[in-house]
């Protein structure tokens, strides 16, 4: 079978994203073949494009890591899925295409009441939020947290979810429109980091105490100020590099700033088993079905316009979630 796909043959800017036609063989043992209805765009996709993250199979490779669609063929030994099943997946290289083969163990069954577009918009982002709020740090009614990029795709999900858990949610955003959007989606306070010193403002909002946990996917531009937002023995969760990688950190700095903790988690380590994958997905589906988290698909692009989508994402011209439509 032939499929359109977005190939990366060399690392670089959005211009290296090439629309091409590739061969998709019949699925092998343990695999299924799916036809995408919608594909999620994640900031991590830009890291693979630039070479900050390296794909397992090297160059060239098909970009993307998240999608939703329908099973169209089933390989030997697959018992969990049949032709016609609705499925979705997070965190699996090779998503920017019409058709693909994928390990059945990487898929989750998509409930009939969750549209493909919503699934593609939330699998990686929503499952990331699940492990960050429930397992990296257990957020609850007593928690005061800071979430950077609160109006981004992960941020809008996270702030709603954290508010549903009873937390006090402080966000940062880079424009008046994004501040308003974050306030409408769970934040108690939002700091425009282009106009205010966010560390000083956090201390003001917390009467000098600081927050329990900082969730930071921005990286270079928010370091080391994120550490100054924490109370003693607080946790800094650095889980992305939107502005560039964080500089090396001497452990002594954590002592000096209050015996702080830090972690650099990634979704793959939290859904490494079938049981963990299903449990994480079930928690995400439940909170969306309960209307406690609304998934915002604010931009869609044709698959062929993946380069434009990347450029807009990196220029911070997007909010909420962005989809590519085959």
């Amino acid at each position: 079978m032939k499929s359109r796909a977005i190939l990366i043959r060399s690392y670089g800017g959005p211009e290296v994203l090439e629309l091409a036609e590739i061969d998709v063989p019949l699925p092998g043992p343990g695999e299924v073949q799916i036809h995408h209805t919608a594909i999620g765009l994640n900031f991590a996709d830009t890291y693979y494009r630039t070479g900050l993250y390296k794909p397992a199979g090297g160059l060239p490779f098909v970009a993307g890591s998240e999608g939703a669609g329908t099973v169209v063929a089933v390989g030997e030994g697959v018992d969990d899925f049949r032709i016609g099943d609705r499925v979705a997946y997070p965190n699996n290289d090779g998503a920017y295409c019409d058709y693909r083969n994928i390990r059945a163990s990487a898929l989750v069954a998509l409930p009939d009441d969750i549209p493909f577009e919503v699934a593609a918009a939330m699998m990686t982002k929503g499952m990331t939020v699940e492990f960050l709020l429930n397992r990296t740090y257990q957020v609850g009614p007593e928690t005061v947290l800071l979430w950077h990029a609160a109006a981004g795709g992960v941020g809008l999900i996270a702030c709603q979810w954290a508010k549903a858990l009873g937390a006090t949610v402080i966000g940062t955003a880079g424009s008046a429109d994004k501040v308003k959007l974050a306030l409408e989606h769970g934040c108690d306070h939002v700091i425009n980091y282009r106009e205010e010193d966010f560390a000083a403002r956090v201390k003001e909002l917390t009467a000098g105490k600081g927050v329990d946990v900082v969730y930071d996917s921005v990286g270079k531009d928010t370091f080391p100020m994120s550490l100054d937002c924490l109370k003693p023995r607080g946790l800094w969760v650095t889980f992305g590099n939107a502005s560039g990688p964080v500089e090396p950190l001497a452990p002594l700095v954590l002592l000096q700033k209050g015996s702080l903790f830090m972690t650099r988690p990634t979704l793959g380590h939290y859904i490494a088993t079938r049981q963990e994958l299903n449990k994480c997905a079930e928690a995400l589906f439940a909170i969306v079905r309960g209307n406690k988290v609304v998934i915002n698909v604010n931009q869609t692009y044709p698959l062929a316009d993946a380069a434009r989508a990347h450029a807009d994402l990196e220029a911070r011209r997007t909010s909420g979630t962005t989809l590519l439509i085959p």
Side-chain angles (χ1 to χ4, degrees):
M1 175 184 291
K2 297 289 186 181
S3 175
R4 294 180 310 151
I6 301 296
L7 280 182
I8 296 177
R9 300 184 190 274
S10 61
Y11 299 122
E15 71 278 357
V16 304
L17 297 172
E18 173 192 341
L19 182 66
E21 189 173 74
I22 62 171
D23 290 314
V24 181
L26 290 173
E31 292 183 335
V32 302
Q33 188 172 101
I34 62 174
H35 179 209
H36 282 130
T37 300
I39 301 158
L41 178 70
N42 292 284
F43 216 101
D45 299 349
T46 70
Y47 305 155
Y48 282 100
R49 192 202 71 225
T50 62
L52 178 64
Y53 292 175
K54 295 296 192 294
L59 294 167
F61 66 98
V62 176
S65 63
E66 165 183 49
T70 304
V71 174
V72 294
V74 177
E76 181 182 351
V78 174
D79 298 320
D80 294 339
F81 299 101
R82 299 179 180 180
I83 292 173
D85 283 353
R86 305 172 78 251
V87 294
Y89 63 91
N91 207 47
N92 205 281
D93 295 346
Y96 287 11
C97 58
D98 294 317
Y99 292 88
R100 70 166 301 176
N101 294 333
I102 188 170
R103 294 174 294 108
S105 60
L107 293 173
V108 297
L110 184 61
D112 290 340
D113 58 350
I114 295 182
F116 289 115
E117 292 79 9
V118 170
M122 74 178 186
M123 294 303 294
T124 295
K125 298 174 187 66
M127 294 173 82
T128 295
V129 170
E130 188 282 324
F131 86 75
L132 289 174
L133 296 183
N134 291 337
R135 292 184 279 161
T136 301
Y137 184 97
Q138 192 166 357
V139 170
E142 303 302 316
T143 305
V144 181
L145 65 87
L146 174 66
W147 195 287
H148 286 302
V154 179
L156 289 180
I157 297 172
C159 294
Q160 293 177 84
W161 201 326
K163 179 49 59 178
L165 293 171
T168 299
V169 184
I170 303 171
T172 67
S175 71
D177 287 344
K178 289 187 176 183
V179 167
K180 181 175 182 292
L181 188 61
L183 286 169
E184 292 169 349
H185 290 81
C187 284
D188 296 285
H189 311 278
V190 183
I191 303 162
N192 187 332
Y193 64 82
R194 297 187 189 278
E195 298 179 353
E196 296 184 89
D197 178 329
F198 70 79
R201 181 67 175 135
V202 165
K203 284 298 181 72
E204 181 182 342
L205 289 169
T206 59
K209 295 178 181 179
V211 299
D212 298 289
V213 55
V214 173
Y215 292 103
D216 190 349
S217 63
V218 176
K220 183 179 178 181
D221 287 355
T222 49
F223 176 82
M225 296 83 74
S226 287
L227 301 180
D228 297 325
C229 298
L230 288 164
K231 63 175 57 173
R233 303 199 307 271
L235 173 65
W236 176 46
V237 183
T238 171
F239 68 100
N241 319 275
S243 64
V246 171
E247 296 177 1
L249 173 65
L252 188 60
V253 172
L254 300 176
L255 177 154
Q256 294 167 340
K257 291 184 178 292
S259 296
L260 304 180
F261 296 87
M262 69 166 286
T263 183
R264 203 332 181 164
T266 189
L267 175 60
H269 294 148
Y270 284 82
I271 56 170
T273 67
R274 183 81 217 180
Q275 182 180 12
E276 288 175 323
L277 175 66
N278 285 340
K279 187 174 181 181
C280 188
E282 287 166 5
L284 173 60
F285 293 155
I287 201 156
V288 170
R289 283 168 148 172
N291 294 316
K292 293 180 179 179
V293 170
V294 176
I295 305 300
N296 297 84
V297 180
N298 290 352
Q299 301 82 208
T300 61
Y301 299 78
L303 177 64
D305 285 349
R308 182 163 60 93
H310 272 230
D312 288 349
L313 180 65
E314 289 179 298
R316 303 186 184 183
R317 290 191 289 264
T318 65
S319 65
T321 295
T322 301
L323 293 182
L324 300 177
I325 305 299

